[in-house]
Amino acid sequence: MDFEPFKGGKFVDSELGLIPKGWSTGTIYSYIDVIYGAPYKSALFNDKKQGLPLIRIRDLKTYTPQYYTKEVLPNTEYVECGDIIAGMDAEFIPHIWRGEKGVLNQRLCKFVPKYDYVSKYYIYSLVYPKLAFVQSYKVGTTVSHLGKADIDRFKVIVPPEDIIMQYSKIVNSYFAEIVKVSNENQILSSLRDTLLPKLMSGEISVEEVSLD
């Protein structure tokens, strides 16, 4: 695929420095809707897998929520495998969710493309340096927080629609493969955790285990 980021090779000044001629700048809301998690009641959490997984900040690295909830709030936001979410306390690096479907807890946010031609993975690439920058200047505070006011200040370069479409087509297959492999690893880990204690105790034998 031919990928021509801009024609003529000319740059012009902007509030974000030099940008290709024909491009512009805008707020992060040029492409993205930001959705915030809901305050689920901790008294209703359970570890018996009743309801849906509750996705908390601590789950972003493991993709394996420890608690579930049957509570449904007016602002309940569901998270699907492949969605872009970030914590809002202590660490703000965005994550591509690679676990099962769950609900978004408070102090997390989800970045959703506004338009069909904008890939979720383009959004990931767009917000990553912005959130990393906020992380860098909030280091040293007792407990660092990311707020809506921080996100409202994000300015981005706005390429023409066809450039975003080309970029999205290129990266979609790569990120989709990452999510697929990670999801398969989650399944294998779950099988290991289920079968290993039974093998160790003699409850089942190796001959009885079939991966077909």
Side-chain angles (χ1 to χ4, degrees), residues 66-92:
Q66 300 300 304
Y67 291 103
Y68 288 66
T69 183
K70 293 192 287 184
E71 186 178 11
V72 178
L73 300 175
N75 57 338
T76 286
E77 179 63 26
Y78 298 98
V79 177
E80 304 277 358
C81 187
D83 283 347
I84 311 303
I85 57 179
M88 301 180 70
D89 288 326
E91 182 177 311
F92 316 135

Side-chain angles (χ1 to χ4, degrees), residues 10-14 16-25 157-158:
K10 295 182 179 179
F11 288 85
V12 296
D13 286 322
S14 78
L16 295 178
L18 291 175
I19 62 173
K21 186 176 181 180
W23 295 26
S24 61
T25 61
I157 296 172
V158 182

